[in-house]
Amino acid sequence: QVQLQESGPGLVKPSGTLSLTCAVSGGSISTSNWWTWVRQPPGKGLEWIGEIYHSGSTNYNPSLKSRVAISVDKFTNQFSLKLTSVAAADTAMYYCARDQRVVGQDAFDIWGQGTMVTVSS
Amino acid sequence: SSELTQDPAVSVALGQTVRITCQGDSLRSHYASWYQQKPGQAPILVIYGKNNRPSGIPDRFSGSSSGNTASLTITGAQAEDEADYYCNSRDSSGDHRVFATGTKVTVL
């Protein structure tokens, strides 16, 4: 079955760029699903960051849009997140997830285990 | 601020029924999906669409919707159901997804 695995640096300096990759295994990234990033600051709730389709179409959280870029690599079956100008408030567990698209019944049905990113000098 | 709201916490006696609600104007047009998250674990999908359960989710979990409110009901709560529960749907524009603030369920 499809599995997702996040990877990337666990520590990023303030004002730097956070870069994470999500590897999709057990299935193709080029399906009718969208692929999503979600984050969760320590002790807080979930926040949707954005999503991408295998064609490269994206949607971003309006509150993060100026700093976020999500890309897809169909050849390596991966998608990636870049978040620029990071600050302490960006410290969080970052999850990638599959967004199944069944007419009117969208849902994040498969999640990676998450990767903790700390913003600190 | 989130466009979807949930009560911060609810408690339920073992074996009893608990309903968790999620409110927001966008729920008049879009279904909610519900996620269970236990400490130190990634969220898992428990209910989506009108009232659909992914494979492996017990049938004591059910969903419903009326007006601007979506609900997740646990009928016969078990100790292992103690967790945080989040609803997700689209925002008022329909272009973006949004999570509610989450509800901590305690099983007494």
Side-chain angles (χ1 to χ4, degrees), chain A residues 40 45-46 48 59-60 62 95 99-101 104-108 111-112, chain B residues 31 35 37 41-43 45 48-50 52 86 88 90 95-97 99:
Chain A
Q40 184 172 37
L46 301 171
W48 179 78
N59 291 300
Y60 298 130
Y95 296 100
D99 182 5
Q100 68 169 27
R101 293 294 177 96
Q105 305 188 82
D106 310 339
F108 307 124
W111 293 70
Chain B
Y31 285 118
Y35 304 84
Q37 186 180 35
Q41 298 183 16
L45 176 66
Y48 68 97
K50 190 173 184 179
N52 300 300
Y86 295 91
N88 178 276
R90 295 190 174 275
D95 294 332
H96 312 109
R97 308 292 282 278
F99 284 97

PDB file of all heavy atoms in Angstrom, chain A residues 40 45-46 48 59-60 62 95 99-101 104-108 111-112, chain B residues 31 35 37 41-43 45 48-50 52 86 88 90 95-97 99:
ATOM      1  N   GLN A  40       2.273  21.054  12.743  1.00  0.00           N
ATOM      2  CA  GLN A  40       1.703  21.107  14.079  1.00  0.00           C
ATOM      3  C   GLN A  40       2.766  21.601  15.057  1.00  0.00           C
ATOM      4  O   GLN A  40       3.674  20.848  15.439  1.00  0.00           O
ATOM      5  CB  GLN A  40       1.202  19.723  14.499  1.00  0.00           C
ATOM      6  CG  GLN A  40       0.499  19.690  15.837  1.00  0.00           C
ATOM      7  CD  GLN A  40      -0.132  18.341  16.115  1.00  0.00           C
ATOM      8  OE1 GLN A  40       0.421  17.297  15.776  1.00  0.00           O
ATOM      9  NE2 GLN A  40      -1.308  18.337  16.734  1.00  0.00           N
ATOM     10  N   GLY A  45      -2.535  22.745  17.555  1.00  0.00           N
ATOM     11  CA  GLY A  45      -3.332  22.008  16.592  1.00  0.00           C
ATOM     12  C   GLY A  45      -2.684  21.908  15.226  1.00  0.00           C
ATOM     13  O   GLY A  45      -1.577  22.381  14.988  1.00  0.00           O
ATOM     14  N   LEU A  46      -3.418  21.271  14.319  1.00  0.00           N
ATOM     15  CA  LEU A  46      -2.944  21.051  12.958  1.00  0.00           C
ATOM     16  C   LEU A  46      -3.186  22.281  12.091  1.00  0.00           C
ATOM     17  O   LEU A  46      -4.217  22.955  12.229  1.00  0.00           O
ATOM     18  CB  LEU A  46      -3.678  19.850  12.345  1.00  0.00           C
ATOM     19  CG  LEU A  46      -3.539  18.524  13.088  1.00  0.00           C
ATOM     20  CD1 LEU A  46      -4.498  17.489  12.497  1.00  0.00           C
ATOM     21  CD2 LEU A  46      -2.117  18.010  13.019  1.00  0.00           C
ATOM     22  N   TRP A  48      -3.039  23.367   7.946  1.00  0.00           N
ATOM     23  CA  TRP A  48      -2.846  23.005   6.540  1.00  0.00           C
ATOM     24  C   TRP A  48      -1.922  24.025   5.896  1.00  0.00           C
ATOM     25  O   TRP A  48      -2.157  25.226   5.978  1.00  0.00           O
ATOM     26  CB  TRP A  48      -4.201  22.981   5.838  1.00  0.00           C
ATOM     27  CG  TRP A  48      -4.168  22.637   4.386  1.00  0.00           C
ATOM     28  CD1 TRP A  48      -4.036  21.401   3.832  1.00  0.00           C
ATOM     29  CD2 TRP A  48      -4.313  23.549   3.285  1.00  0.00           C
ATOM     30  NE1 TRP A  48      -4.087  21.491   2.457  1.00  0.00           N
ATOM     31  CE2 TRP A  48      -4.251  22.791   2.099  1.00  0.00           C
ATOM     32  CE3 TRP A  48      -4.484  24.928   3.190  1.00  0.00           C
ATOM     33  CZ2 TRP A  48      -4.357  23.366   0.830  1.00  0.00           C
ATOM     34  CZ3 TRP A  48      -4.593  25.504   1.936  1.00  0.00           C
ATOM     35  CH2 TRP A  48      -4.526  24.715   0.769  1.00  0.00           C
ATOM     36  N   ASN A  59      -2.155  24.857  -4.355  1.00  0.00           N
ATOM     37  CA  ASN A  59      -2.962  25.755  -3.534  1.00  0.00           C
ATOM     38  C   ASN A  59      -2.241  25.909  -2.202  1.00  0.00           C
ATOM     39  O   ASN A  59      -1.727  24.924  -1.667  1.00  0.00           O
ATOM     40  CB  ASN A  59      -4.365  25.177  -3.283  1.00  0.00           C
ATOM     41  CG  ASN A  59      -5.213  25.155  -4.529  1.00  0.00           C
ATOM     42  OD1 ASN A  59      -5.472  26.192  -5.131  1.00  0.00           O
ATOM     43  ND2 ASN A  59      -5.654  23.965  -4.917  1.00  0.00           N
ATOM     44  N   TYR A  60      -2.226  27.147  -1.679  1.00  0.00           N
ATOM     45  CA  TYR A  60      -1.499  27.409  -0.445  1.00  0.00           C
ATOM     46  C   TYR A  60      -2.401  28.077   0.591  1.00  0.00           C
ATOM     47  O   TYR A  60      -3.322  28.816   0.258  1.00  0.00           O
ATOM     48  CB  TYR A  60      -0.301  28.327  -0.712  1.00  0.00           C
ATOM     49  CG  TYR A  60       0.734  27.759  -1.660  1.00  0.00           C
ATOM     50  CD1 TYR A  60       1.193  28.511  -2.737  1.00  0.00           C
ATOM     51  CD2 TYR A  60       1.263  26.485  -1.465  1.00  0.00           C
ATOM     52  CE1 TYR A  60       2.147  28.009  -3.601  1.00  0.00           C
ATOM     53  CE2 TYR A  60       2.211  25.971  -2.332  1.00  0.00           C
ATOM     54  CZ  TYR A  60       2.658  26.737  -3.397  1.00  0.00           C
ATOM     55  OH  TYR A  60       3.605  26.229  -4.254  1.00  0.00           O
ATOM     56  N   PRO A  62      -3.512  30.849   2.706  1.00  0.00           N
ATOM     57  CA  PRO A  62      -3.300  32.288   2.485  1.00  0.00           C
ATOM     58  C   PRO A  62      -2.355  32.932   3.494  1.00  0.00           C
ATOM     59  O   PRO A  62      -1.631  33.873   3.147  1.00  0.00           O
ATOM     60  CB  PRO A  62      -4.718  32.865   2.607  1.00  0.00           C
ATOM     61  CG  PRO A  62      -5.606  31.735   2.214  1.00  0.00           C
ATOM     62  CD  PRO A  62      -4.938  30.506   2.748  1.00  0.00           C
ATOM     63  N   TYR A  95       4.081  17.212   8.570  1.00  0.00           N
ATOM     64  CA  TYR A  95       3.567  15.975   8.009  1.00  0.00           C
ATOM     65  C   TYR A  95       3.276  16.155   6.523  1.00  0.00           C
ATOM     66  O   TYR A  95       2.773  17.209   6.107  1.00  0.00           O
ATOM     67  CB  TYR A  95       2.248  15.582   8.667  1.00  0.00           C
ATOM     68  CG  TYR A  95       2.297  15.265  10.136  1.00  0.00           C
ATOM     69  CD1 TYR A  95       1.905  16.210  11.083  1.00  0.00           C
ATOM     70  CD2 TYR A  95       2.697  14.008  10.597  1.00  0.00           C
ATOM     71  CE1 TYR A  95       1.921  15.916  12.439  1.00  0.00           C
ATOM     72  CE2 TYR A  95       2.710  13.699  11.949  1.00  0.00           C
ATOM     73  CZ  TYR A  95       2.327  14.667  12.861  1.00  0.00           C
ATOM     74  OH  TYR A  95       2.333  14.379  14.202  1.00  0.00           O
ATOM     75  N   ASP A  99      -4.107  13.443  -0.201  1.00  0.00           N
ATOM     76  CA  ASP A  99      -5.454  13.994  -0.174  1.00  0.00           C
ATOM     77  C   ASP A  99      -6.270  13.263  -1.222  1.00  0.00           C
ATOM     78  O   ASP A  99      -6.211  13.590  -2.411  1.00  0.00           O
ATOM     79  CB  ASP A  99      -5.405  15.493  -0.464  1.00  0.00           C
ATOM     80  CG  ASP A  99      -6.784  16.134  -0.393  1.00  0.00           C
ATOM     81  OD1 ASP A  99      -7.749  15.451  -0.033  1.00  0.00           O
ATOM     82  OD2 ASP A  99      -6.872  17.341  -0.705  1.00  0.00           O
ATOM     83  N   GLN A 100      -7.005  12.259  -0.800  1.00  0.00           N
ATOM     84  CA  GLN A 100      -7.830  11.523  -1.751  1.00  0.00           C
ATOM     85  C   GLN A 100      -8.969  12.411  -2.232  1.00  0.00           C
ATOM     86  O   GLN A 100      -9.569  13.147  -1.455  1.00  0.00           O
ATOM     87  CB  GLN A 100      -8.394  10.239  -1.115  1.00  0.00           C
ATOM     88  CG  GLN A 100      -9.410  10.489  -0.040  1.00  0.00           C
ATOM     89  CD  GLN A 100     -10.148   9.221   0.388  1.00  0.00           C
ATOM     90  OE1 GLN A 100      -9.627   8.122   0.280  1.00  0.00           O
ATOM     91  NE2 GLN A 100     -11.361   9.367   0.887  1.00  0.00           N
ATOM     92  N   ARG A 101      -9.198  12.386  -3.512  1.00  0.00           N
ATOM     93  CA  ARG A 101     -10.261  13.223  -4.072  1.00  0.00           C
ATOM     94  C   ARG A 101     -11.359  12.316  -4.638  1.00  0.00           C
ATOM     95  O   ARG A 101     -11.268  11.834  -5.744  1.00  0.00           O
ATOM     96  CB  ARG A 101      -9.688  14.139  -5.153  1.00  0.00           C
ATOM     97  CG  ARG A 101      -8.716  15.186  -4.619  1.00  0.00           C
ATOM     98  CD  ARG A 101      -9.412  16.181  -3.733  1.00  0.00           C
ATOM     99  NE  ARG A 101      -8.507  17.148  -3.152  1.00  0.00           N
ATOM    100  CZ  ARG A 101      -8.283  18.368  -3.657  1.00  0.00           C
ATOM    101  NH1 ARG A 101      -8.896  18.729  -4.769  1.00  0.00           N
ATOM    102  NH2 ARG A 101      -7.462  19.203  -3.067  1.00  0.00           N
ATOM    103  N   GLY A 104     -16.573  15.431  -3.842  1.00  0.00           N
ATOM    104  CA  GLY A 104     -17.183  16.037  -2.679  1.00  0.00           C
ATOM    105  C   GLY A 104     -16.785  15.425  -1.361  1.00  0.00           C
ATOM    106  O   GLY A 104     -17.267  15.843  -0.309  1.00  0.00           O
ATOM    107  N   GLN A 105     -15.916  14.438  -1.362  1.00  0.00           N
ATOM    108  CA  GLN A 105     -15.572  13.739  -0.119  1.00  0.00           C
ATOM    109  C   GLN A 105     -14.063  13.657   0.055  1.00  0.00           C
ATOM    110  O   GLN A 105     -13.511  12.607   0.304  1.00  0.00           O
ATOM    111  CB  GLN A 105     -16.191  12.344  -0.121  1.00  0.00           C
ATOM    112  CG  GLN A 105     -17.705  12.366  -0.340  1.00  0.00           C
ATOM    113  CD  GLN A 105     -18.341  11.007  -0.155  1.00  0.00           C
ATOM    114  OE1 GLN A 105     -18.606  10.593   0.963  1.00  0.00           O
ATOM    115  NE2 GLN A 105     -18.581  10.313  -1.246  1.00  0.00           N
ATOM    116  N   ASP A 106     -13.431  14.807  -0.084  1.00  0.00           N
ATOM    117  CA  ASP A 106     -11.980  14.865   0.052  1.00  0.00           C
ATOM    118  C   ASP A 106     -11.545  14.519   1.468  1.00  0.00           C
ATOM    119  O   ASP A 106     -12.219  14.864   2.438  1.00  0.00           O
ATOM    120  CB  ASP A 106     -11.481  16.281  -0.260  1.00  0.00           C
ATOM    121  CG  ASP A 106     -12.042  16.812  -1.574  1.00  0.00           C
ATOM    122  OD1 ASP A 106     -12.467  15.992  -2.409  1.00  0.00           O
ATOM    123  OD2 ASP A 106     -12.047  18.035  -1.750  1.00  0.00           O
ATOM    124  N   ALA A 107     -10.382  13.864   1.577  1.00  0.00           N
ATOM    125  CA  ALA A 107      -9.870  13.539   2.915  1.00  0.00           C
ATOM    126  C   ALA A 107      -8.409  13.166   2.833  1.00  0.00           C
ATOM    127  O   ALA A 107      -7.952  12.632   1.821  1.00  0.00           O
ATOM    128  CB  ALA A 107     -10.669  12.383   3.528  1.00  0.00           C
ATOM    129  N   PHE A 108      -7.692  13.426   3.911  1.00  0.00           N
ATOM    130  CA  PHE A 108      -6.284  13.065   3.999  1.00  0.00           C
ATOM    131  C   PHE A 108      -6.208  11.629   4.518  1.00  0.00           C
ATOM    132  O   PHE A 108      -6.257  11.397   5.734  1.00  0.00           O
ATOM    133  CB  PHE A 108      -5.543  14.024   4.929  1.00  0.00           C
ATOM    134  CG  PHE A 108      -5.737  15.473   4.571  1.00  0.00           C
ATOM    135  CD1 PHE A 108      -6.238  16.373   5.500  1.00  0.00           C
ATOM    136  CD2 PHE A 108      -5.435  15.938   3.306  1.00  0.00           C
ATOM    137  CE1 PHE A 108      -6.430  17.703   5.174  1.00  0.00           C
ATOM    138  CE2 PHE A 108      -5.617  17.279   2.970  1.00  0.00           C
ATOM    139  CZ  PHE A 108      -6.111  18.163   3.902  1.00  0.00           C
ATOM    140  N   TRP A 111      -0.940   9.346   5.839  1.00  0.00           N
ATOM    141  CA  TRP A 111      -0.040  10.336   6.430  1.00  0.00           C
ATOM    142  C   TRP A 111       1.355   9.748   6.586  1.00  0.00           C
ATOM    143  O   TRP A 111       1.523   8.557   6.841  1.00  0.00           O
ATOM    144  CB  TRP A 111      -0.541  10.748   7.808  1.00  0.00           C
ATOM    145  CG  TRP A 111      -1.829  11.498   7.818  1.00  0.00           C
ATOM    146  CD1 TRP A 111      -3.072  11.009   7.521  1.00  0.00           C
ATOM    147  CD2 TRP A 111      -2.023  12.864   8.176  1.00  0.00           C
ATOM    148  NE1 TRP A 111      -4.024  11.994   7.658  1.00  0.00           N
ATOM    149  CE2 TRP A 111      -3.400  13.146   8.065  1.00  0.00           C
ATOM    150  CE3 TRP A 111      -1.166  13.898   8.580  1.00  0.00           C
ATOM    151  CZ2 TRP A 111      -3.941  14.411   8.339  1.00  0.00           C
ATOM    152  CZ3 TRP A 111      -1.693  15.148   8.860  1.00  0.00           C
ATOM    153  CH2 TRP A 111      -3.065  15.390   8.742  1.00  0.00           C
ATOM    154  N   GLY A 112       2.351  10.619   6.471  1.00  0.00           N
ATOM    155  CA  GLY A 112       3.682  10.225   6.868  1.00  0.00           C
ATOM    156  C   GLY A 112       3.789  10.271   8.386  1.00  0.00           C
ATOM    157  O   GLY A 112       2.869  10.720   9.075  1.00  0.00           O
TER     158      GLY A 112
ATOM    159  N   TYR B  31     -18.422  18.789   2.873  1.00  0.00           N
ATOM    160  CA  TYR B  31     -18.340  17.800   3.946  1.00  0.00           C
ATOM    161  C   TYR B  31     -17.078  18.038   4.787  1.00  0.00           C
ATOM    162  O   TYR B  31     -16.094  18.590   4.326  1.00  0.00           O
ATOM    163  CB  TYR B  31     -18.270  16.388   3.364  1.00  0.00           C
ATOM    164  CG  TYR B  31     -19.572  15.871   2.820  1.00  0.00           C
ATOM    165  CD1 TYR B  31     -19.690  15.546   1.466  1.00  0.00           C
ATOM    166  CD2 TYR B  31     -20.681  15.686   3.641  1.00  0.00           C
ATOM    167  CE1 TYR B  31     -20.881  15.053   0.957  1.00  0.00           C
ATOM    168  CE2 TYR B  31     -21.878  15.197   3.139  1.00  0.00           C
ATOM    169  CZ  TYR B  31     -21.968  14.887   1.799  1.00  0.00           C
ATOM    170  OH  TYR B  31     -23.148  14.399   1.297  1.00  0.00           O
ATOM    171  N   TYR B  35     -10.227  13.445  12.017  1.00  0.00           N
ATOM    172  CA  TYR B  35      -8.933  12.811  12.270  1.00  0.00           C
ATOM    173  C   TYR B  35      -8.741  12.587  13.758  1.00  0.00           C
ATOM    174  O   TYR B  35      -9.054  13.466  14.576  1.00  0.00           O
ATOM    175  CB  TYR B  35      -7.793  13.677  11.711  1.00  0.00           C
ATOM    176  CG  TYR B  35      -8.003  13.931  10.241  1.00  0.00           C
ATOM    177  CD1 TYR B  35      -8.820  14.964   9.807  1.00  0.00           C
ATOM    178  CD2 TYR B  35      -7.470  13.063   9.288  1.00  0.00           C
ATOM    179  CE1 TYR B  35      -9.077  15.154   8.463  1.00  0.00           C
ATOM    180  CE2 TYR B  35      -7.737  13.243   7.943  1.00  0.00           C
ATOM    181  CZ  TYR B  35      -8.543  14.284   7.536  1.00  0.00           C
ATOM    182  OH  TYR B  35      -8.812  14.465   6.202  1.00  0.00           O
ATOM    183  N   GLN B  37      -5.898  11.821  16.650  1.00  0.00           N
ATOM    184  CA  GLN B  37      -4.466  11.897  16.888  1.00  0.00           C
ATOM    185  C   GLN B  37      -4.162  11.576  18.342  1.00  0.00           C
ATOM    186  O   GLN B  37      -4.637  12.255  19.250  1.00  0.00           O
ATOM    187  CB  GLN B  37      -3.910  13.273  16.533  1.00  0.00           C
ATOM    188  CG  GLN B  37      -2.387  13.326  16.630  1.00  0.00           C
ATOM    189  CD  GLN B  37      -1.810  14.686  16.292  1.00  0.00           C
ATOM    190  OE1 GLN B  37      -2.403  15.725  16.588  1.00  0.00           O
ATOM    191  NE2 GLN B  37      -0.636  14.706  15.671  1.00  0.00           N
ATOM    192  N   GLN B  41       1.848  10.570  17.851  1.00  0.00           N
ATOM    193  CA  GLN B  41       1.526   9.867  16.610  1.00  0.00           C
ATOM    194  C   GLN B  41       0.990  10.818  15.559  1.00  0.00           C
ATOM    195  O   GLN B  41       0.481  11.897  15.878  1.00  0.00           O
ATOM    196  CB  GLN B  41       0.492   8.768  16.875  1.00  0.00           C
ATOM    197  CG  GLN B  41       0.968   7.696  17.832  1.00  0.00           C
ATOM    198  CD  GLN B  41      -0.066   6.590  18.002  1.00  0.00           C
ATOM    199  OE1 GLN B  41      -1.007   6.446  17.219  1.00  0.00           O
ATOM    200  NE2 GLN B  41       0.112   5.785  19.045  1.00  0.00           N
ATOM    201  N   ALA B  42       1.091  10.389  14.308  1.00  0.00           N
ATOM    202  CA  ALA B  42       0.481  11.138  13.218  1.00  0.00           C
ATOM    203  C   ALA B  42      -1.037  10.981  13.283  1.00  0.00           C
ATOM    204  O   ALA B  42      -1.541   9.975  13.791  1.00  0.00           O
ATOM    205  CB  ALA B  42       1.002  10.635  11.875  1.00  0.00           C
ATOM    206  N   PRO B  43      -1.761  11.942  12.769  1.00  0.00           N
ATOM    207  CA  PRO B  43      -3.226  11.803  12.719  1.00  0.00           C
ATOM    208  C   PRO B  43      -3.627  10.632  11.823  1.00  0.00           C
ATOM    209  O   PRO B  43      -2.881  10.244  10.909  1.00  0.00           O
ATOM    210  CB  PRO B  43      -3.678  13.129  12.091  1.00  0.00           C
ATOM    211  CG  PRO B  43      -2.552  14.072  12.311  1.00  0.00           C
ATOM    212  CD  PRO B  43      -1.317  13.238  12.248  1.00  0.00           C
ATOM    213  N   LEU B  45      -7.210   9.192   9.634  1.00  0.00           N
ATOM    214  CA  LEU B  45      -8.548   9.516   9.165  1.00  0.00           C
ATOM    215  C   LEU B  45      -9.542   8.535   9.767  1.00  0.00           C
ATOM    216  O   LEU B  45      -9.332   7.325   9.692  1.00  0.00           O
ATOM    217  CB  LEU B  45      -8.571   9.424   7.641  1.00  0.00           C
ATOM    218  CG  LEU B  45      -9.903   9.627   6.932  1.00  0.00           C
ATOM    219  CD1 LEU B  45     -10.406  11.060   7.111  1.00  0.00           C
ATOM    220  CD2 LEU B  45      -9.772   9.285   5.445  1.00  0.00           C
ATOM    221  N   TYR B  48     -15.017  10.423   6.729  1.00  0.00           N
ATOM    222  CA  TYR B  48     -14.979  11.402   5.638  1.00  0.00           C
ATOM    223  C   TYR B  48     -16.266  11.347   4.845  1.00  0.00           C
ATOM    224  O   TYR B  48     -17.009  10.351   4.899  1.00  0.00           O
ATOM    225  CB  TYR B  48     -13.763  11.172   4.738  1.00  0.00           C
ATOM    226  CG  TYR B  48     -13.804   9.895   3.943  1.00  0.00           C
ATOM    227  CD1 TYR B  48     -14.242   9.886   2.615  1.00  0.00           C
ATOM    228  CD2 TYR B  48     -13.416   8.678   4.504  1.00  0.00           C
ATOM    229  CE1 TYR B  48     -14.281   8.719   1.879  1.00  0.00           C
ATOM    230  CE2 TYR B  48     -13.441   7.509   3.780  1.00  0.00           C
ATOM    231  CZ  TYR B  48     -13.881   7.527   2.471  1.00  0.00           C
ATOM    232  OH  TYR B  48     -13.922   6.368   1.752  1.00  0.00           O
ATOM    233  N   GLY B  49     -16.522  12.439   4.147  1.00  0.00           N
ATOM    234  CA  GLY B  49     -17.721  12.491   3.327  1.00  0.00           C
ATOM    235  C   GLY B  49     -18.990  12.489   4.147  1.00  0.00           C
ATOM    236  O   GLY B  49     -19.034  12.954   5.283  1.00  0.00           O
ATOM    237  N   LYS B  50     -20.042  11.936   3.568  1.00  0.00           N
ATOM    238  CA  LYS B  50     -21.335  11.937   4.245  1.00  0.00           C
ATOM    239  C   LYS B  50     -21.249  11.156   5.559  1.00  0.00           C
ATOM    240  O   LYS B  50     -21.740  11.588   6.593  1.00  0.00           O
ATOM    241  CB  LYS B  50     -22.409  11.343   3.334  1.00  0.00           C
ATOM    242  CG  LYS B  50     -23.825  11.517   3.864  1.00  0.00           C
ATOM    243  CD  LYS B  50     -24.855  11.071   2.832  1.00  0.00           C
ATOM    244  CE  LYS B  50     -26.270  11.339   3.329  1.00  0.00           C
ATOM    245  NZ  LYS B  50     -27.288  10.924   2.322  1.00  0.00           N
ATOM    246  N   ASN B  52     -18.459   8.080   5.897  1.00  0.00           N
ATOM    247  CA  ASN B  52     -17.649   6.966   5.415  1.00  0.00           C
ATOM    248  C   ASN B  52     -16.480   6.699   6.359  1.00  0.00           C
ATOM    249  O   ASN B  52     -15.832   7.637   6.823  1.00  0.00           O
ATOM    250  CB  ASN B  52     -17.087   7.290   4.020  1.00  0.00           C
ATOM    251  CG  ASN B  52     -18.173   7.542   3.009  1.00  0.00           C
ATOM    252  OD1 ASN B  52     -19.006   6.691   2.743  1.00  0.00           O
ATOM    253  ND2 ASN B  52     -18.189   8.738   2.458  1.00  0.00           N
ATOM    254  N   TYR B  86      -9.730  16.162  15.257  1.00  0.00           N
ATOM    255  CA  TYR B  86      -9.759  17.380  14.446  1.00  0.00           C
ATOM    256  C   TYR B  86     -10.699  17.199  13.258  1.00  0.00           C
ATOM    257  O   TYR B  86     -10.685  16.156  12.601  1.00  0.00           O
ATOM    258  CB  TYR B  86      -8.370  17.691  13.885  1.00  0.00           C
ATOM    259  CG  TYR B  86      -7.330  18.020  14.934  1.00  0.00           C
ATOM    260  CD1 TYR B  86      -6.541  17.016  15.495  1.00  0.00           C
ATOM    261  CD2 TYR B  86      -7.124  19.331  15.347  1.00  0.00           C
ATOM    262  CE1 TYR B  86      -5.579  17.316  16.456  1.00  0.00           C
ATOM    263  CE2 TYR B  86      -6.165  19.645  16.302  1.00  0.00           C
ATOM    264  CZ  TYR B  86      -5.397  18.630  16.846  1.00  0.00           C
ATOM    265  OH  TYR B  86      -4.454  18.939  17.787  1.00  0.00           O
ATOM    266  N   ASN B  88     -11.724  18.759   9.466  1.00  0.00           N
ATOM    267  CA  ASN B  88     -11.117  19.501   8.358  1.00  0.00           C
ATOM    268  C   ASN B  88     -12.153  19.666   7.263  1.00  0.00           C
ATOM    269  O   ASN B  88     -12.955  18.759   7.002  1.00  0.00           O
ATOM    270  CB  ASN B  88      -9.897  18.755   7.817  1.00  0.00           C
ATOM    271  CG  ASN B  88      -9.263  19.466   6.623  1.00  0.00           C
ATOM    272  OD1 ASN B  88      -9.683  19.307   5.482  1.00  0.00           O
ATOM    273  ND2 ASN B  88      -8.251  20.265   6.896  1.00  0.00           N
ATOM    274  N   ARG B  90     -13.192  22.702   3.788  1.00  0.00           N
ATOM    275  CA  ARG B  90     -12.700  23.816   2.975  1.00  0.00           C
ATOM    276  C   ARG B  90     -13.062  25.137   3.634  1.00  0.00           C
ATOM    277  O   ARG B  90     -13.985  25.208   4.447  1.00  0.00           O
ATOM    278  CB  ARG B  90     -13.288  23.721   1.570  1.00  0.00           C
ATOM    279  CG  ARG B  90     -12.785  22.490   0.856  1.00  0.00           C
ATOM    280  CD  ARG B  90     -13.137  22.447  -0.612  1.00  0.00           C
ATOM    281  NE  ARG B  90     -12.479  21.299  -1.229  1.00  0.00           N
ATOM    282  CZ  ARG B  90     -11.235  21.319  -1.685  1.00  0.00           C
ATOM    283  NH1 ARG B  90     -10.534  22.429  -1.628  1.00  0.00           N
ATOM    284  NH2 ARG B  90     -10.700  20.247  -2.218  1.00  0.00           N
ATOM    285  N   ASP B  95     -11.287  27.084  -1.951  1.00  0.00           N
ATOM    286  CA  ASP B  95     -10.003  26.768  -2.580  1.00  0.00           C
ATOM    287  C   ASP B  95      -8.978  26.189  -1.616  1.00  0.00           C
ATOM    288  O   ASP B  95      -7.974  25.622  -2.061  1.00  0.00           O
ATOM    289  CB  ASP B  95      -9.402  28.019  -3.228  1.00  0.00           C
ATOM    290  CG  ASP B  95     -10.225  28.521  -4.395  1.00  0.00           C
ATOM    291  OD1 ASP B  95     -10.898  27.691  -5.040  1.00  0.00           O
ATOM    292  OD2 ASP B  95     -10.202  29.732  -4.657  1.00  0.00           O
ATOM    293  N   HIS B  96      -9.209  26.379  -0.351  1.00  0.00           N
ATOM    294  CA  HIS B  96      -8.212  25.984   0.635  1.00  0.00           C
ATOM    295  C   HIS B  96      -8.828  25.079   1.698  1.00  0.00           C
ATOM    296  O   HIS B  96     -10.020  25.131   1.965  1.00  0.00           O
ATOM    297  CB  HIS B  96      -7.617  27.220   1.321  1.00  0.00           C
ATOM    298  CG  HIS B  96      -7.199  28.285   0.381  1.00  0.00           C
ATOM    299  ND1 HIS B  96      -7.882  29.483   0.255  1.00  0.00           N
ATOM    300  CD2 HIS B  96      -6.188  28.328  -0.510  1.00  0.00           C
ATOM    301  CE1 HIS B  96      -7.298  30.222  -0.669  1.00  0.00           C
ATOM    302  NE2 HIS B  96      -6.257  29.549  -1.146  1.00  0.00           N
ATOM    303  N   ARG B  97      -7.998  24.258   2.279  1.00  0.00           N
ATOM    304  CA  ARG B  97      -8.435  23.405   3.369  1.00  0.00           C
ATOM    305  C   ARG B  97      -8.121  24.092   4.693  1.00  0.00           C
ATOM    306  O   ARG B  97      -7.195  24.906   4.793  1.00  0.00           O
ATOM    307  CB  ARG B  97      -7.707  22.059   3.277  1.00  0.00           C
ATOM    308  CG  ARG B  97      -7.823  21.421   1.908  1.00  0.00           C
ATOM    309  CD  ARG B  97      -9.244  20.986   1.603  1.00  0.00           C
ATOM    310  NE  ARG B  97      -9.555  19.748   2.297  1.00  0.00           N
ATOM    311  CZ  ARG B  97      -9.219  18.544   1.851  1.00  0.00           C
ATOM    312  NH1 ARG B  97      -8.576  18.441   0.707  1.00  0.00           N
ATOM    313  NH2 ARG B  97      -9.520  17.476   2.532  1.00  0.00           N
ATOM    314  N   PHE B  99      -8.190  23.283   9.127  1.00  0.00           N
ATOM    315  CA  PHE B  99      -8.456  22.436  10.276  1.00  0.00           C
ATOM    316  C   PHE B  99      -9.122  23.267  11.371  1.00  0.00           C
ATOM    317  O   PHE B  99      -8.798  24.444  11.557  1.00  0.00           O
ATOM    318  CB  PHE B  99      -7.152  21.859  10.849  1.00  0.00           C
ATOM    319  CG  PHE B  99      -6.569  20.730  10.045  1.00  0.00           C
ATOM    320  CD1 PHE B  99      -5.559  20.977   9.125  1.00  0.00           C
ATOM    321  CD2 PHE B  99      -7.022  19.433  10.230  1.00  0.00           C
ATOM    322  CE1 PHE B  99      -5.008  19.939   8.387  1.00  0.00           C
ATOM    323  CE2 PHE B  99      -6.477  18.388   9.501  1.00  0.00           C
ATOM    324  CZ  PHE B  99      -5.475  18.648   8.570  1.00  0.00           C
TER     325      PHE B  99
END
